[in-house]
Amino acid sequence: MGEMEQMKKEADGLKTQIEAARKAVADTTMSAASAAVAPAPRVQLKTRRTLKGHLAKIYAMHWATDSRLMVSASQDGKLLIWDSHSGNKINAVPLKSSWVMTCSYAPSGNLVASGGLDNMCTVYNLKTPVVKTVKELDAHTGYLACCRFLSDSEILTASGDTTCALWDIESGKQKTVFLNHVGDCMCLSLSPDMNTFISGACDSLAKLWDVRDGTCKQTFQGHTSDVNAISFFHNGNTVITGSDDCTCKMFDLRADQEVISYQDAQLNAGVTSLALSVSGRLMFAGYDDFNCNIWDTLKGEKVGVLSGHDNRVSCTGVPPDGMCVCTGSWDSFLKIWN
Amino acid sequence: MPVINVDDLTDLDKAKMEVTQLKTEVKLERAKVSKCCEEVMEYIQSLVEEDTLVKGIAEDKNPFKDLKGGCVIS
């Protein structure tokens, strides 16, 4: 038997063992377990702010930890910093490359980062009299799909080159490379304790990584297409994913498997983004069909919809204080709802 | 940390990487789904009363309340 065939046989054997181990603990599903819980009330949120200013498709947005400021990225070649309460623009950061796909606000509020088809993650200082580029993090050989700051000195990136990386911002070097996906990495989410993070990729898998030692700890199967969106539940033990297969799924880390799927026979648009309310009871998922559906995470039922955008909802975000949900769209607007 | 050139990985390299990873994952201790679901439900219930998007918020306490003052003339 050739080496390749041997590897495949070994892999299949191990996969069968893992499936059996997962089945052995699958004594229920989330829908069954939550049968006695009262359904979440129908949610009707109003648009409180429509943020106008971008001149092209918005690809990403991220809330600052003060729950008031937020950054948005558009292929008009700008990052805009907004005061969500007043609706005013605080800052505009011109980008060297307009093909931006992601942006992130540092927890301190001092820095923002962006990246895209330039394969780089650029970090900017918002606190200097004029916004300055701090560093261009250049080592990925594919597009930058997602980035998240751990602090002012470290940032995690997910790339179309199938790797994720942890960078030291000051030196501009990769400290750790996370290699195990076999498809473009599309999204990442840091655990509340920042010791692990989870990534979603075009290989239809989600993977859990140890931030410090670079190892992949767990792999979650279930989706049948690209995983575009991912978020840790605030308890750190559960993860929600959104995919081009039109479904979202909840995976429990300790059971090492899917516990519920959020899908609807009439829904045939891919999921682009997702965000959780502070308790985790509601999940806001943006779709290619211009809507953002609101799901009851325990029951798996749709409890509302945010309609108002005239094009794909590309990004969603709930601020740390949970006061609202923001949606960003290819129609160039951001909307704030509560 | 060695620089890994992803483009240099052969199919055999990828297959070996998969087997190595599966060998790690097969050893995982898995908790019962029922226990995990219960903990998720408890977690949510402990926070849901403070969840504005579930419970709603009074107009005067809403930081995103309508900015314009005055009344509607029709």
Side-chain angles (χ1 to χ4, degrees), chain A residues 51-63:
Chain A
L51 304 178
K52 304 180 190 195
H54 280 301
L55 303 172
K57 295 174 174 169
I58 291 172
Y59 273 79
M61 63 80 48
H62 193 218
W63 284 97

Side-chain angles (χ1 to χ4, degrees), chain A residues 69 77 86 93 95 133 171 177 204:
Chain A
L69 298 180
S86 65
V93 183
L95 303 173
T133 300
S171 66
V177 176
S204 73

Side-chain angles (χ1 to χ4, degrees), chain A residues 27 219 254 256 277 279 338, chain B residues 25 30-31 34 39 51 62:
Chain A
D27 54 350
T219 302
R254 288 158 314 167
D256 186 46
S277 69
S279 69
N338 72 8
Chain B
E25 292 178 11
R30 295 169 175 85
S34 54
E39 289 183 23
D51 190 339
N62 190 349

